[in-house]
Amino acid sequence: MASAKETILWRVRRATRDVPEDERPEDVAVARGYRKEGEDARAEVVDRFAAHVAEYEATVHRVAEDDLPGVVEKILAGRGIQRLVVPPKLPQSWVPDGVEVLRDAARPRLTNEELDGADGVLTGCALGIAQTGTIALDAGPGQGRRALTLLPDYHLCVVREEQVVDLVPEAFAKLEEAVGVEGRAVTFISGPSATSDIELNRVEGVHGPRVLEVLIVG
Amino acid sequence: MTIKPPDAFSPGETPTFEASAKTSLADSQLRRNLGKATQTIRRKRAAVVEEMPDWEELREAGRALKERTLRHLDAYLLQLEESVTKAGGVVHWARDADEANRIISGIVREKGANEVVKVKSIATDETKLNEHLESEGIHAFETDLAELIIQLAGETSSHILVPAIHKNRAEIRELFLRELDVEELSDEPKDLANAARLYLRKKFLNAKVGISGANFAVAETGTVAVVESEGNGRMCTTLPPVLVTLMGVEKIVPAWRDFEVFMQLLPRSSTAERMNPYTSFWTGVSEGDGPEEFHLVLLDNGRTDVLADEIGRQTLNCIRCSACLNVCPVYERTGGHAYNSVYPGPIGAILTPQLVGIGKPGSDSLPYASSLCGACYQVCPVKINIPEVLIHLRGRVVRHKQDRGGLRERLDPENAAMRAMAKAFSDPELYENAQRLARVGQWPLVRGGKIGSLPGRLAGWTKVRDLKPVPKQSFREWWKEERG
Amino acid sequence: MRVALFITCFNDTLFPETGRATVGVLERLGHEVEFPMEQTCCGQMHFNTGYQREAIPLVRRFVEVFEPYDAVVAPSGSCVGMVRDLYPMAADLAEDADLARRVADLAPRVFELSEFLVKKTGVTDVGAYYPHRVTYHPTCHSLRMLKVGDAPLELLRNVRGMELVELGEAEQCCGFGGTFAVKNAETSAAMLGDKIRRVLDTESEVCTAGDNSCLMHIGGGLRRLQAGINTVHLAEILASTEER
């Protein structure tokens, strides 16, 4: 008896009999007339990123590089964050002295219970998208594995100005190597966890972190 | 508690759309909930689409990419299998719902799990996976807020994106008070969401197996994407050591870079946001990050039949955004349950009858659940010409009745009337006779210069409207008289 | 220009005054109008209800009758939509390549009245006079199939003596939809109810549109309610002058 795979492929081929034998996928024209790269000046792009992130009810701060550690310390203290999850390779200078650090590593990994019991997580990111106010994580340095930014109820994310791209297509181009070559998992985050399931009104805070705070460093 | 209506994908005969619509039209609470929700989302969608100067170019690219994928689906499926396998995943093929369910319950049983956590997946609603798992002693926890609501209520989805759109906050509060073991709860959406968070958190932390659908899978890299809002998708695809994803064979996109099109089209069309809160992209298994085991189940279940219909094929472009539901004047009034399918609204009216096959009275009625107003086509982000497919399917339904139906179908008064009229229209002389006949034949019905009630199948018209009688002189009679 | 009037079977039988008005407007603008007596029905009702094999002879007849003309004008967006959008599908179904070619040749020359006036001949003022308060309902097929856009409104704005009132949620379907109004009578009525509410809100005397089918549906409802609002086809407003 034919396997399910053989049967499905046979059905697909029979269903597409109208496609000429010698047609290749790239013969089906795809007009890509949409915008691939933004044309605006950097300052404008970064401003837009900040504005769009804020529209999702995330808190946004613009800080100078030198002020970063101080600002992080102040924000965490203001939020009452005591137990802070820190991913591998996060710059040590970002982590304030006064908090209890839960450092994740390949061995030993923090357990899900430890992550769930933490007050928050501090990470960097792979890039930011101005057009949509999105932060992309690709498990690179200072970002850690996916569970780190998921279980703690508070996420403080540092985005460097030079990491902000204007349009969505620029982001997928930049992430291509991390995915295609290294097979890394990518997560797009646009504001805190939310739902529109009740009367189609967006409310913030369901299963993911209920508070997202973004520091734009430039 | 509402009893689940029969569904196009369950055994047994489902009611027709006309019959089910009567019930929902009479439900004033439903009409109010739906009207409010669809009007809100329509306005928001229009605003976020308006800010995109290249929206039409994106739609065209999305359509073309889907066409490319579907015309070469065999090659892309093989490429996807290879990429996923190379990335450490396991690929399974399922000819139909039963096969998919058996594959999935097999994996769950092998892990010794009697509970799984699930992300909203219409493909699993189509295969009735939850019922199957239950019959094997495995409980599936729906973790999407709306899916949880309808699971707790024992109901079925009424919207592709917002399955509980038919319920308002007061109804949800009552349900949670009854089912979630909470003492106090307001009807504020924030509090309701929090109740769900507390209820499901332990399930996420302890689950051995997560089950998801897929919004997209990339043939080139093997990357699977789940687009969501609440974070339950991230939970299910990240925390459990084993992840099983069920996806229809049509969900493939050729390359990673093609996300630059679909990830712009989908969020704005579905939740009317620039971007949805969370999208997870994973490629097989990542060492030390997320599940240790990943299974991808590729489901046919009628999709190759849709593919075989050259006009119907475009239905498989669908990225399940639900924009067509939100603009549909029929959906807005009847709601999703009237469609008796996990795929309601305009897209459901063309997808369901093609997936289950023409010749079933319930699903055959769906292509007629439209005034052909075309609002759906106008908003579709992948340019599915839904009115065209509706009309094409009506043709298939009628031809199926005429060619394969029994005596009852052939003696159907509609069939007889249509044939008689076609004959009359075939010749000007017969046509003019028919015009005269209509003028004479109507007299028993005319009262006070109007027709207030028609007999038989036409009675529906005069229930709410008067009909104007046929005037004494037709246009052509006037023309002959004046100009002839 | 040799202009043929495609009256449509529906208008021919039920709304002859719309046909007379269409002829009046076109002739007033200097067009020579012909009425091919061999025409019957475009086949839309059959085609859209699924009786598509039965519609094919009607498609053939239409093509044969109207092929010789430079332009074909009809006071119905819906029937013109059938010819332009669905005749190619009918020709495919008939597996008739010759018919497909002839359809492709003829279809671009078939126009809905407002489209012919504004888009084809560039006329927006037809010299009409109509001293009434009027609201306009854009029918779905003229709006979304033919994409006539603002053409009917441009014509109406230039009608003297008339007060044009905007209709709320104008682009929502009235619920007619051909046999939909019979097969799904309850849903159709629910849609009609909302449309009528919007029409009543305008406090107009007249509701107009480019299709008598939608108007018969809306008008039938208004009449049943004794709403005191008439439905009048766009062509009849455009044909109306101070002299008559």
Side-chain angles (χ1 to χ4, degrees):
Chain A
M1 211 177 91
S3 70
K5 175 178 169 181
E6 284 164 344
T7 305
I8 292 173
L9 288 171
W10 175 78
R11 287 177 184 170
V12 169
R13 285 172 188 140
R14 191 187 47 170
T16 51
R17 271 177 306 194
D18 58 304
V19 177
E21 200 61 36
D22 58 350
E23 182 183 293
R24 293 162 308 162
E26 54 274 27
D27 293 337
V28 183
V30 177
R32 295 181 189 258
Y34 51 85
R35 293 172 298 166
K36 290 282 196 60
E37 271 174 49
E39 288 158 3
D40 293 336
R42 287 303 305 164
E44 232 175 287
V45 172
V46 176
D47 284 352
R48 183 152 59 237
F49 174 70
H52 283 175
V53 173
E55 275 187 43
Y56 294 123
E57 305 288 325
T59 312
V60 181
H61 311 264
R62 308 283 295 261
V63 288
E65 173 83 50
D66 290 347
D67 299 339
L68 183 65
V71 174
V72 170
E73 184 168 10
K74 213 174 126 203
I75 289 174
L76 293 179
R79 295 265 180 196
I81 304 291
Q82 294 290 324
R83 298 163 61 80
L84 182 72
V85 173
V86 170
K89 294 183 187 150
L90 187 88
Q92 187 52 45
S93 65
W94 294 3
V95 184
D97 292 332
V99 297
E100 182 190 338
V101 172
L102 302 171
R103 202 173 295 278
D104 193 48
R107 253 178 230 102
R109 281 173 26 161
L110 294 168
T111 63
N112 287 346
E113 285 68 24
E114 284 174 303
L115 291 172
D116 192 38
D119 297 324
V121 59
L122 170 64
T123 71
C125 71
L127 55 87
I129 310 171
Q131 186 186 15
T132 55
T134 301
I135 292 159
L137 305 178
D138 69 355
Q143 300 167 49
R145 58 195 170 92
R146 286 168 281 170
L148 265 55
T149 51
L150 180 59
L151 286 169
D153 203 12
Y154 170 83
H155 182 191
L156 179 59
C157 185
V158 178
V159 183
R160 296 179 176 281
E161 282 190 5
E162 64 270 19
Q163 288 183 302
V164 178
V165 300
D166 191 359
L167 302 179
V168 169
E170 298 169 54
F172 282 101
K174 276 202 151 87
L175 291 165
E176 192 168 23
E177 201 181 299
V179 173
V181 180
E182 299 172 43
R184 299 218 296 254
V186 169
T187 306
F188 275 18
I189 298 176
S190 310
S193 157
T195 182
S196 301
D197 280 350
I198 301 169
E199 300 176 11
L200 272 172
N201 282 316
R202 183 180 161 121
V203 297
E204 279 70 33
V206 198
H207 301 295
R210 283 182 287 188
V211 180
L212 173 69
E213 203 152 3
V214 178
L215 293 175
I216 303 173
V217 184
Chain B
M1 194 165 111
T2 318
I3 293 158
K4 283 190 190 190
D7 170 290
F9 297 94
S10 335
E13 205 168 281
T14 64
T16 61
F17 178 83
E18 303 87 271
S20 302
K22 275 183 198 157
T23 319
S24 17
L25 285 166
D27 184 341
S28 58
Q29 178 77 69
L30 175 77
R31 294 281 293 275
R32 163 84 187 138
N33 294 354
L34 274 173
K36 192 171 161 232
T38 53
Q39 276 160 34
T40 309
I41 193 83
R42 278 208 296 271
R43 209 171 41 243
K44 286 189 189 164
R45 190 208 78 98
V48 292
V49 165
E50 185 68 26
E51 70 177 32
M52 295 289 283
D54 52 354
W55 186 251
E56 286 310 313
E57 285 80 5
L58 285 165
R59 284 180 82 208
E60 174 50 30
R63 184 207 62 76
L65 280 167
K66 279 294 183 181
E67 186 187 356
R68 175 184 282 180
T69 311
L70 293 171
R71 287 173 76 87
H72 297 278
L73 192 58
D74 55 339
Y76 284 123
L77 281 167
L78 287 169
Q79 193 189 5
L80 177 69
E81 181 186 44
E82 199 188 321
S83 311
V84 171
T85 310
K86 216 175 92 193
V90 183
V91 174
H92 309 258
W93 302 69
R95 282 164 283 216
D96 55 27
D98 279 348
E99 193 164 20
N101 289 342
R102 274 185 277 114
I103 291 168
I104 295 170
S105 61
I107 298 168
V108 178
R109 264 207 321 269
E110 196 193 296
K111 306 299 159 200
N114 54 13
E115 280 182 7
V116 298
V117 284
K118 262 188 80 197
V119 200
K120 175 178 178 321
S121 151
I122 321 178
T124 63
D125 293 341
E126 176 189 322
T127 63
K128 311 293 167 220
L129 175 64
N130 289 6
E131 286 89 328
H132 169 78
L133 290 175
E134 212 67 55
S135 75
E136 301 266 313
I138 303 160
H139 184 71
F141 285 91
E142 290 292 352
T143 63
D144 171 82
L145 180 53
E147 290 283 351
L148 173 68
I149 292 167
I150 60 168
Q151 188 180 39
L152 292 173
E155 294 180 10
T156 53
S157 166
S158 68
H159 189 282
I160 285 173
L161 179 77
V162 203
I165 195 172
H166 56 288
K167 287 190 139 28
N168 66 19
R169 56 185 76 187
E171 293 169 299
I172 297 165
R173 172 179 175 264
E174 269 179 44
L175 176 73
F176 278 11
L177 280 174
R178 197 170 65 226
E179 301 288 333
L180 289 192
D181 201 26
V182 280
E183 310 243 307
E184 256 179 78
L185 191 61
S186 81
D187 65 358
E188 277 303 307
K190 243 193 162 68
D191 289 345
L192 297 171
N194 194 41
R197 177 189 174 97
L198 292 171
Y199 172 71
L200 287 171
R201 182 58 62 133
K202 285 232 149 34
K203 303 291 171 203
F204 285 131
L205 294 175
N206 298 323
K208 289 184 188 146
V209 180
I211 294 178
S212 85
N215 289 93
F216 306 99
V218 181
E220 179 193 42
T221 59
T223 309
V224 178
V226 162
V227 177
E228 51 128 0
S229 297
E230 297 171 9
N232 62 314
R234 293 179 68 192
M235 295 275 180
C236 292
T237 61
T238 310
L239 298 183
V242 179
L243 170 61
V244 187
T245 298
L246 176 68
M247 67 169 254
V249 289
E250 82 284 16
K251 294 275 178 137
I252 294 186
V253 295
W256 167 258
R257 292 283 281 272
D258 297 329
F259 277 130
E260 69 187 24
V261 175
F262 294 107
M263 284 308 295
Q264 295 201 65
L265 290 171
L266 181 54
R268 287 178 202 258
S269 299
S270 58
T271 45
E273 293 166 304
R274 293 192 182 104
M275 195 62 90
N276 51 291
Y278 297 132
T279 302
S280 300
F281 304 93
W282 70 90
T283 306
V285 173
S286 299
E287 169 95 53
D289 184 358
E292 293 142 22
E293 230 179 86
F294 170 55
H295 297 267
L296 181 63
V297 183
L298 302 172
L299 175 70
D300 179 355
N301 208 35
R303 283 159 180 76
T304 46
D305 294 331
V306 188
L307 189 67
D309 182 326
E310 286 180 45
I311 296 175
R313 183 180 296 163
Q314 57 185 312
T315 313
L316 298 178
N317 292 3
C318 178
I319 56 174
R320 310 283 189 264
C321 73
S322 69
C324 62
L325 278 66
N326 300 330
V327 299
C328 177
V330 173
Y331 177 88
E332 185 181 340
R333 290 168 181 85
T334 64
H337 289 146
Y339 295 80
N340 298 308
S341 165
V342 298
Y343 302 103
I347 188 65
I350 61 174
L351 184 56
T352 306
Q354 293 190 85
L355 283 179
V356 304
I358 303 292
K360 300 182 174 71
S363 46
D364 279 1
S365 73
L366 293 175
Y368 292 94
S370 165
S371 64
L372 302 176
C373 85
C376 47
Y377 181 30
Q378 205 177 17
V379 297
C380 177
V382 284
K383 289 174 122 173
I384 304 170
N385 191 336
I386 295 177
E388 178 187 60
V389 181
L390 286 167
I391 292 168
H392 168 67
L393 293 176
R394 291 176 183 190
R396 283 184 56 190
V397 167
V398 168
R399 290 194 288 280
H400 185 273
K401 272 191 203 158
Q402 289 174 337
D403 298 346
R404 299 206 217 145
L407 193 63
R408 194 165 63 107
E409 278 79 11
R410 283 198 300 272
L411 291 178
D412 177 48
E414 178 187 284
N415 188 35
M418 284 289 180
R419 284 179 177 231
M421 286 175 84
K423 177 101 177 94
F425 289 143
S426 70
D427 177 276
E429 207 175 305
L430 294 172
Y431 167 70
E432 285 170 26
N433 281 339
Q435 280 184 323
R436 281 192 286 272
L437 204 65
R439 210 181 293 148
V440 178
Q442 70 176 335
W443 285 120
L445 303 170
V446 178
R447 302 256 187 289
K450 61 179 170 55
I451 297 172
S453 107
L454 283 170
R457 293 203 172 193
L458 300 173
W461 177 272
T462 43
K463 251 190 211 159
V464 293
R465 321 164 192 82
D466 285 340
L467 189 64
K468 177 184 174 297
V470 183
K472 290 201 172 64
Q473 192 184 40
S474 70
F475 174 81
R476 63 178 57 225
E477 284 164 344
W478 171 81
W479 181 275
K480 265 191 233 167
E481 209 175 278
E482 292 280 312
R483 315 283 174 113
Chain C
M1 207 181 327
R2 260 188 105 200
V3 178
L5 173 66
F6 163 40
I7 181 66
T8 81
C9 64
F10 187 76
N11 286 320
D12 184 10
T13 312
L14 286 167
F15 297 89
E17 62 277 19
T18 299
R20 295 199 293 272
T22 306
V23 174
V25 175
L26 291 172
E27 289 184 344
R28 197 162 77 219
L29 295 171
H31 298 290
E32 190 190 318
V33 181
E34 293 185 34
F35 182 74
M37 292 296 290
E38 295 292 300
Q39 65 179 284
T40 58
C41 166
C42 68
Q44 180 179 214
M45 182 184 69
H46 284 90
F47 203 81
N48 283 0
T49 312
Y51 295 83
Q52 295 169 354
R53 291 188 293 215
E54 289 76 2
I56 289 168
L58 306 179
V59 172
R60 287 215 170 86
R61 156 171 295 276
F62 184 94
V63 172
E64 271 160 31
V65 170
F66 288 105
E67 250 169 355
Y69 297 92
D70 301 322
V72 181
V73 179
S76 163
S78 181
C79 300
V80 171
M82 168 71 190
V83 175
R84 286 233 294 262
D85 266 32
L86 296 172
Y87 271 25
M89 200 206 279
D92 279 350
L93 185 69
E95 296 182 355
D96 184 339
D98 177 57
L99 182 64
R101 251 193 321 276
R102 289 162 72 191
V103 163
D105 180 59
L106 172 63
R109 302 202 305 275
V110 183
F111 301 95
E112 180 271 336
L113 176 63
S114 72
E115 188 185 33
F116 176 77
L117 295 175
V118 177
K119 293 195 172 169
K120 173 80 178 157
T121 68
V123 175
T124 53
D125 187 344
V126 298
Y129 172 77
Y130 195 73
H132 299 286
R133 188 176 163 96
V134 175
T135 193
Y136 170 73
H137 164 64
T139 68
C140 299
H141 286 175
S142 63
L143 194 69
R144 285 181 278 262
M145 259 177 129
L146 302 180
K147 301 187 171 58
V148 302
D150 275 349
L153 284 170
E154 282 183 59
L155 291 162
L156 286 169
R157 283 190 200 110
N158 287 316
V159 174
R160 274 167 281 286
M162 196 177 89
E163 193 185 345
L164 187 63
V165 197
E166 200 182 323
L167 181 67
E169 294 273 328
E171 296 189 1
Q172 269 238 353
C173 178
C174 69
F176 173 64
T179 43
F180 173 76
V182 176
K183 279 181 181 282
N184 279 285
E186 288 81 3
T187 309
S188 168
M191 289 158 73
L192 174 63
D194 290 338
K195 181 59 71 180
I196 284 186
R197 183 163 53 88
R198 298 292 182 174
V199 172
L200 293 175
D201 284 346
T202 66
E203 298 180 358
S204 301
E205 297 157 68
V206 168
C207 173
T208 188
D211 247 302
N212 273 326
S213 46
C214 309
L215 284 179
M216 182 174 81
H217 168 75
I218 298 169
L222 286 168
R223 180 148 186 191
R224 173 67 57 92
L225 296 171
Q226 302 295 343
I229 301 177
N230 283 333
T231 45
V232 176
H233 192 281
L234 175 70
E236 291 164 50
I237 293 181
L238 299 180
S240 161
T241 58
E242 278 185 80
E243 288 79 54
R244 43 175 290 237

